[in-house]
Amino acid sequence: MTHPNQSTPLQEQPPLPSSTRVTEELPPLTSDPSFWAMSLTQFLGAFNDNVFKQLLLLLATPTAAAIAAAELAGESAPDRQSEAMIVFAAAFLIFSGFAGWLADRTSKRTLIVASKAAEILVMAIGMVGFYFYDLIGFGGMLVVLFLMGVQSAFFGPPKYGILPETLRDSDLPRANGIFLMFTFLAIIFGVVVAGLLKAYVDNVWLGSAVCVLIAVVGTMTALGVRRVPPATPGAPLGAEDLLVPRSLLRVVWSDRQLMLAVLVTSAFWMLGGVVQQSVNALGKSQLGLGDAKTSLLAAMLGVGIPVGCVLGGYLSRGRINPRVVVVGASVLLVCLLLMALRGGANDHLLGFGGSIPVLVVMGIGTGMFIVPVQVSIQALPPADEKGRMIALMNQCNWIGIVLGAILFKVALVTLDAAGQPRNTMFLVAAAIMLPVALFYRPEERSLSD
């Protein structure tokens, strides 16, 4: 049922004003150097984020041997992954509102370059933190993780908000597919490299020095992004901009499709937070795998996601396609249920080898599902609200991740008390996805050139 104040389909809306669109003729997507520079910049940034975050998550996840030894001593070996996820998410919740206002008031290209330069500093601090890890411990590295979250919070609104400003509307589905493909390829490499560093490099800080170099290269590639004018130059900063502006809430409330897309993407990242921690817990705590194999298992999810993103962008060609969402959600739900099956060695029916293809297919469903949702959030808001809309999406996403981290912690304690294996957490994830798969159907819309 359509809300009476819902905005008209995109093909009936006027084009973005010239103040927020690049005025020269836009080139085809595949031959647009600005788009490829932005995609490479995103790849390098996502790689760094995932190397650092996975290193901390591995440090936070107890091994099966540690759990057994703690049980014999009448103690517990806590899984501290949730602490890392909450700290990282807190930075987004605190700064996303301001970052969104800044992304609309300032040229998004300028903000992209500045945030990438800040990444160099954060990665350097991270390298020093790993060098002094024996002194500052896991708690000290959480401070570094928070700083990384702050940098990412300011990078998020301009990196997504600049796409509709520099691309033709009809190219947005394919562009998002390619953009997300680069993102999840970075996740694959970042997670695998983190596992290899943790398993085979005695001095992890030396490996993290590579992240500083990658941040430098990412700053250079950001310079290739096309210049754009500010969407709302001179906009004053109000108290509500630090949270959620009332004008933005009215935009979301007046467009039912936009509101549903924001809620669904929040639930999606809640699911993602639970699944990421569940895979690490399955590998290290239940199957008894080392850091390298556990990270390889986590990376398998990322192997399928770029395929799904490209497939979702191709099938959506020039429109928001609800059928792509339905297929992706259904595949994702089935794979979560398969990962929860009991039996076999270590009470996990699939085991390490069987989990790999299921996680790859789960990734394909994930990519297909999220592309049309992402396009909806980029394309539906008014031109002068896109930066703050992306910031609101980030806030909602990280609220979802925080809730996912809390849910993971509570469910894990409950499952341990009931003597249930770690892979039961995938049932919890399936419960999050079930109502989305059953009821979410975005309205099909064509995207104008």
Side-chain angles (χ1 to χ4, degrees), residues 306-441:
V307 177
C309 288
V310 172
L311 186 59
Y314 174 77
L315 295 174
S316 296
R317 293 189 302 275
R319 68 190 191 278
I320 297 170
N321 191 336
R323 290 173 292 281
V324 176
V325 173
V326 173
V327 172
S330 301
V331 170
L332 178 52
L333 181 62
V334 170
C335 289
L336 288 170
L337 294 173
L338 289 174
M339 289 296 296
L341 292 176
R342 303 275 295 273
N346 303 110
D347 213 8
H348 184 242
L349 185 62
L350 298 179
F352 175 73
S355 295
I356 289 177
V358 173
L359 287 171
V360 171
V361 175
M362 186 191 300
I364 293 173
T366 299
M368 290 181 64
F369 171 79
I370 198 58
V371 166
V373 182
Q374 185 79 46
V375 172
S376 297
I377 295 175
Q378 289 177 334
L380 297 182
D384 59 353
E385 295 280 7
K386 289 185 186 293
R388 284 188 286 188
M389 187 67 240
I390 299 299
L392 174 62
M393 179 191 72
N394 281 338
Q395 286 176 310
C396 291
N397 290 353
W398 286 98
I399 289 172
I401 289 174
V402 168
L403 293 176
I406 295 172
L407 177 62
F408 178 84
K409 189 72 173 180
V410 172
L412 196 60
V413 171
T414 304
L415 292 175
D416 284 348
Q420 299 301 309
R422 291 291 201 270
N423 70 308
T424 311
M425 284 301 307
F426 290 102
L427 276 181
V428 177
I432 298 172
M433 193 63 202
L434 182 61
V436 177
L438 288 177
F439 302 114
Y440 179 59
R441 302 291 185 272

Side-chain angles (χ1 to χ4, degrees), residues 96-97 99-101 103-104 108 156-157 160-161 244-245 247-253 255 257-263 265 374 376-397:
S96 281
W101 166 83
D104 283 331
K108 292 180 177 61
Y160 286 115
V244 181
S247 62
L248 190 57
L249 288 177
R250 285 194 294 269
V251 169
V252 175
W253 183 254
D255 189 329
Q257 291 299 311
L258 183 57
M259 179 174 64
L260 288 174
V262 171
L263 292 175
T265 190
Q374 185 79 46
S376 297
I377 295 175
Q378 289 177 334
L380 297 182
D384 59 353
E385 295 280 7
K386 289 185 186 293
R388 284 188 286 188
M389 187 67 240
I390 299 299
L392 174 62
M393 179 191 72
N394 281 338
Q395 286 176 310
C396 291
N397 290 353

Side-chain angles (χ1 to χ4, degrees), residues 65-82:
I67 292 174
E71 288 176 348
L72 287 175
E75 301 173 351
S76 62
D79 188 315
R80 301 185 67 184
Q81 291 184 89
S82 296

Side-chain angles (χ1 to χ4, degrees), residues 72-240:
L72 287 175
E75 301 173 351
S76 62
D79 188 315
R80 301 185 67 184
Q81 291 184 89
S82 296
E83 295 175 39
M85 298 294 287
I86 290 172
V87 166
F88 193 63
F92 282 85
L93 296 178
I94 294 169
F95 291 102
S96 281
F98 179 70
W101 166 83
L102 195 61
D104 283 331
R105 189 181 188 276
T106 310
S107 168
K108 292 180 177 61
R109 190 258 192 188
T110 300
L111 199 53
I112 286 168
V113 174
S115 62
K116 292 301 295 182
E119 183 184 330
I120 299 173
L121 177 61
V122 173
M123 289 298 150
I125 294 173
M127 181 182 67
V128 174
F130 278 120
Y131 184 81
F132 290 105
Y133 184 79
D134 290 340
L135 180 63
I136 65 174
F138 186 75
M141 294 307 295
L142 289 180
V143 176
V144 181
L145 187 64
F146 180 82
L147 293 176
M148 183 184 298
V150 173
Q151 183 271 330
S152 297
F154 281 93
F155 185 50
K159 79 177 177 184
Y160 286 115
I162 202 170
L163 294 183
E165 291 187 11
T166 57
L167 299 174
R168 296 174 293 189
D169 286 338
S170 58
D171 282 334
L172 278 177
R174 195 156 53 117
N176 274 276
I178 295 170
F179 201 68
L180 289 172
M181 178 192 72
F182 272 92
T183 300
F184 287 107
L185 282 174
I187 291 173
I188 296 169
F189 290 118
V191 168
V192 169
V193 167
L196 294 174
L197 285 175
K198 181 71 167 51
Y200 300 116
V201 178
D202 292 333
N203 297 317
V204 175
W205 71 271
L206 288 174
S208 68
V210 176
C211 294
V212 180
L213 177 61
I214 290 173
V216 173
V217 175
T219 304
M220 296 173 64
T221 60
L223 296 174
V225 177
R226 186 177 294 112
R227 296 179 183 273
V228 295
T232 54
L237 176 64
E240 65 175 15

Side-chain angles (χ1 to χ4, degrees), residues 12-25:
E12 298 176 14
Q13 294 177 351
L16 299 181
S18 60
S19 61
T20 58
R21 271 228 190 249
V22 178
T23 55
E24 70 264 22
E25 183 70 21

